[in-house]
């Protein structure tokens, strides 16, 4: 039997009289290194439902009840909590933060024949080799990140620094494949993997510098990192001595605030609050600033995207019947802070734009961090189908 701490959830919503509540499980890694991602996902999900329901928190007259569970980033616990949620007759589930935990949850969705919307885990296997028909992903995957980054690099030499776990290795694998897929002539010359919670990057960074310093220009050190980013520590080792430029992936706003000294550095990102122009994002930015005195971050937007998918699906299928939901969601379009997204029929991956950014030289306020170089449309990201359906 699960302990009370594991089993307890946070419930939002109430009794709708004769109409039964629509029950949604939101599983997130609220404890551990990815806690901030989980917190943002929950905030975005609840704000998304608020926006889409006009504050009523109901769909087709049925009240929405969201049950939040903390899997602590542990695959075994994620699997257990999802099974518990399905046993408790939730209509649909959303989660989770860690790719390892998300992968462990996929067979549970198949066993129970219940829909799982994956957000924000990015491992390619989720909509690839480990996928099943009950799995839909609103989050981007590693290959979408990689294709966006590769689209900005046409030649030269690349080395990667990543965390030594599913996300990091997936990101580097995708990065190499993306360079080939986009026709880039850039060559990958080295890969370094550091512990997830590493704080000393001296040795791996020196190896990266040694591998890059005599290779053709431009020389790019690409960083794929979840959580506190090592960019500042690497920059302190002066890569410019060897003609090496850093290429950070997008990160949380508090992390990117520390990058001001690297104005002009370019990278690619899944979401930055100032880039999309649409009603949903305008509302999210204004309301988030009002409530939290800061703009929404990338995982807040991801949570809101998941809410958009859940809302659209349950509108189409008022009964929340699983098989009808699967049929309705294949190819379905839904609102998100990035605009209208669509689930690809073949693998249920949400196709979406990405953004090429430059760190601002002149920042008007503490959150005026990035300028948009270009929105990269989904149509320019040749995302392969890998689930062998």
């Amino acid at each position: 039997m699960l302990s009370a701490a594991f089993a307890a959830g946070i419930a939002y919503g109430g009794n709708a009289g004769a109409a039964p509540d629509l029950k949604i499980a939101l599983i997130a890694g609220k404890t551990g290194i990815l806690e901030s991602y989980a917190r943002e996902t929950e905030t975005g999900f609840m704000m998304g439902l608020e926006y889409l329901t006009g504050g009523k928190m109901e769909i087709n007259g049925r009240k929405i009840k969201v049950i939040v569970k903390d899997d602590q980033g542990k695959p075994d616990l994620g699997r257990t909590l999802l099974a518990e949620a399905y046993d408790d007759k939730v209509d649909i589930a959303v989660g989770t933060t860690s790719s390892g935990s998300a992968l462990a949850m996929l067979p549970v969705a198949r066993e129970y024949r219940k829909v799982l919307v994956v957000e924000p885990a990015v491992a390619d296997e989720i909509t690839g080799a480990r996928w099943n028909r009950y799995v839909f992903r609103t989050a981007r995957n590693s290959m979408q990140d990689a294709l966006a980054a590769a689209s900005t690099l046409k030649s030269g030499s690349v080395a990667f620094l990543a965390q030594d776990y599913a996300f990091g290795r997936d990101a580097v694998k995708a990065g190499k494949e993306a360079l080939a897929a986009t026709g880039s002539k850039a060559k990958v010359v080295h890969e370094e993997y550091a512990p997830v919670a590493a704080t000393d990057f001296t040795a791996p960074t020196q190896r990266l510098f040694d591998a890059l310093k005599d290779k053709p220009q431009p020389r790019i050190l690409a960083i794929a990192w979840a959580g506190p980013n090592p960019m500042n520590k690497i920059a302190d080792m002066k890569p410019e001595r060897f003609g090496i430029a850093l290429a950070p992936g997008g990160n949380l706003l508090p992390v990117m605030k520390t990058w001001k000294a690297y104005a002009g550095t370019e990278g690619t990102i899944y979401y930055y609050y100032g880039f999309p122009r649409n009603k949903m994002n305008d509302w999210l930015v204004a309301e988030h600033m009002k409530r939290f005195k800061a703009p929404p971050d990338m995982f807040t937007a991801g949570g809101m995207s998941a809410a958009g998918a859940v809302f659209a699906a349950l509108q189409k299928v008022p009964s929340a019947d699983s098989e009808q939901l699967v049929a309705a969601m294949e190819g379905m379009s839904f609102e998100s802070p990035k605009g209208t997204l669509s689930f690809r029929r073949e693998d249920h991956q949400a196709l979406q734009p990405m953004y090429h950014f430059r760190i601002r030289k002149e920042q008007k306020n503490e959150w005026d961090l990035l300028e948009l170089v270009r929105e990269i449309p989904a149509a320019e990201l040749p995302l392969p189908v890998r689930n062998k359906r």
Side-chain angles (χ1 to χ4, degrees):
M1 179 178 292
L2 291 174
S3 72
F6 285 176
I10 303 169
Y12 301 80
N15 194 339
D21 291 343
L22 285 165
K23 295 171 66 176
I24 304 166
L26 175 63
I27 299 173
K30 299 178 67 174
T31 306
I33 192 170
L34 301 180
E35 172 271 332
S36 57
Y37 296 8
R39 184 178 65 250
E40 290 181 5
T41 301
E42 181 181 349
T43 297
F45 189 74
M46 298 310 302
M47 290 183 73
L49 291 177
E50 178 186 348
Y51 171 83
L52 291 160
T53 64
K56 294 181 179 179
M57 296 301 283
E58 63 180 42
I59 301 174
N60 297 319
R62 297 175 65 184
K63 287 291 185 183
I64 299 168
K65 182 178 182 181
V66 180
I67 303 161
V68 182
K69 296 176 180 288
D70 177 14
D71 69 2
Q72 303 179 27
K74 298 176 180 178
D76 287 348
L77 185 54
R79 180 169 53 243
T80 298
L81 292 178
L82 182 60
E84 176 192 82
Y86 289 147
D87 284 336
D88 288 342
K89 308 301 181 186
V90 299
D91 295 291
I92 196 166
V94 178
T96 183
T97 317
S98 160
S99 287
S101 187
L103 286 165
M105 290 161 59
L106 305 187
V108 179
R110 180 178 58 217
E111 177 186 349
Y112 281 81
R113 299 183 179 181
K114 300 282 286 186
V115 170
L116 171 65
V117 176
V118 176
E119 177 67 47
V122 301
D124 284 331
E125 286 183 299
I126 293 168
T127 42
R130 308 274 287 276
W131 174 89
N132 65 73
R133 64 189 298 270
Y134 298 97
V135 174
F136 292 80
R137 176 158 50 185
T138 51
R140 90 284 189 196
N141 63 19
S142 291
M143 193 62 179
Q144 284 168 308
D145 278 345
L147 288 165
S151 73
T152 70
L153 185 62
K154 304 303 180 186
S155 62
S157 308
V158 183
F160 289 99
L161 173 65
Q163 285 157 306
D164 192 9
Y165 83 118
F167 164 75
R169 291 192 173 274
D170 218 43
V172 173
K173 179 183 176 183
K176 294 190 290 186
E177 293 176 0
L179 289 169
T182 56
S184 173
K185 295 182 180 178
K187 304 296 183 184
V188 177
V189 300
H190 192 66
E191 303 165 29
E192 280 287 333
Y193 299 93
V196 172
T199 56
D200 183 356
F201 298 93
T202 305
T205 298
Q206 191 57 59
R207 289 192 291 270
L208 287 159
F209 287 179
D210 289 344
L212 275 169
K213 64 184 181 182
D214 297 320
K215 298 300 187 296
Q217 289 275 22
R219 299 171 189 144
I220 304 296
L221 198 170
I223 304 168
W225 206 267
N229 194 285
M231 178 168 160
N232 287 339
K233 291 184 177 181
I234 296 171
D236 287 344
M237 295 179 67
K238 301 189 182 303
E240 65 274 12
R241 290 177 297 150
F242 307 110
I244 297 170
L246 303 183
N251 211 298
L252 299 184
L253 292 171
V255 174
M256 294 194 296
K257 278 178 66 173
T258 69
W259 295 354
K260 188 173 181 180
Y262 313 110
T265 298
E266 296 185 9
T268 52
I269 195 167
Y270 158 75
Y271 170 87
Y272 174 71
Y273 73 94
F275 291 167
R277 299 296 181 197
N278 60 71
K279 287 178 63 177
M280 185 183 232
N281 193 59
D282 291 348
W283 182 90
L284 173 61
V285 173
E287 284 298 314
H288 202 278
M289 287 295 295
K290 185 187 303 182
R291 299 176 193 187
F292 303 104
K293 311 304 180 188
D297 221 327
M298 65 169 70
F299 295 100
T300 320
M304 200 173 197
S305 296
V310 168
F311 177 81
L314 293 174
Q315 270 201 322
K316 289 176 178 289
V317 184
S319 69
D321 175 81
S322 290
E323 298 304 324
Q324 292 180 34
L325 281 173
V326 170
M329 293 173 72
E330 289 194 336
M332 183 185 79
S333 295
F334 56 94
E335 284 190 77
S336 89
K338 296 174 69 173
T340 301
L341 307 186
S342 299
F343 286 125
R344 186 163 58 180
R345 290 182 181 277
E346 293 86 348
D347 60 1
H348 303 174
Q349 172 63 52
L351 303 180
Q352 53 199 287
M354 304 290 276
Y355 305 96
H356 180 184
F357 70 81
R358 182 181 298 115
I359 300 174
R360 283 192 181 277
K361 293 182 180 179
E362 301 295 330
Q363 299 181 0
K364 299 175 184 176
N365 57 60
E366 65 173 324
W367 301 115
D368 185 30
L369 309 176
L370 308 179
E371 61 183 344
L372 180 65
V373 176
R374 188 173 80 94
E375 179 177 310
I376 307 167
E380 292 184 17
L381 303 172
L383 186 66
V385 176
R386 290 189 167 136
N387 60 347
K388 299 180 181 179
R389 185 173 185 173

